[in-house]
């Protein structure tokens, strides 16, 4: 059970680091991820780029924290199944 917990925590931190790195290394530009946005060189484009630069640390933090709830939910599910299995085996029930 401790091995599962350790593996889950390492997996959570690894996925968070990967998500944070992808967010950090994403290019700054006017267009969104689908390619929509103002034309390059316009005032709206420059304002969008400036907004991204000002909020870069917040965006990276959100990217780093995004996978943590899902990983912890999966870890809780796996640990509860393991606990149930151990409880049933302690009562002599094999499956």
């Amino acid at each position: 059970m401790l091995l599962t917990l350790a593996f889950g925590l390492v997996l959570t931190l690894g996925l968070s680091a990967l998500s944070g790195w992808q967010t950090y290394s994403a290019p700054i530009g006017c267009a969104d991820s689908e390619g929509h946005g103002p034309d390059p060189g316009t005032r709206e484009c420059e304002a969008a780029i400036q907004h991204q630069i000002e909020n870069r640390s917040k965006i990276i933090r959100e990217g780093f924290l995004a996978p943590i709830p899902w990983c912890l939910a999966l870890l809780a599910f796996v640990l509860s199944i393991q606990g149930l299995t151990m409880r049933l085996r302690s009562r002599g029930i094999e499956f």
Side-chain angles (χ1 to χ4, degrees):
M1 194 170 218
L2 286 176
L3 184 62
T4 303
L5 183 61
F7 179 74
L9 291 176
V10 167
L11 180 67
T12 301
L13 291 175
L15 288 175
S16 293
L18 178 65
S19 178
W21 178 255
Q22 286 177 339
T23 304
Y24 175 77
S25 62
I28 296 177
C30 300
D32 58 9
S33 60
E34 297 173 354
H36 302 105
D39 294 328
T42 61
R43 195 176 324 164
E44 292 86 11
C45 178
E46 297 301 323
I49 290 174
Q50 187 63 31
H51 178 71
Q52 288 179 3
I53 291 171
E54 290 171 356
N55 294 323
R56 188 106 171 127
S57 62
K58 180 181 175 187
I59 293 169
I60 293 170
R61 189 177 328 112
E62 289 172 357
F64 180 79
L65 296 176
I68 290 178
W70 293 105
C71 290
L72 292 180
L74 181 64
L75 181 62
F77 175 74
V78 169
L79 288 174
S80 67
I81 294 298
Q82 280 188 340
L84 179 63
T85 303
M86 288 172 41
R87 186 173 185 170
L88 291 175
R89 285 188 181 156
S90 70
R91 293 182 180 204
I93 301 172
E94 292 290 330
F95 48 90

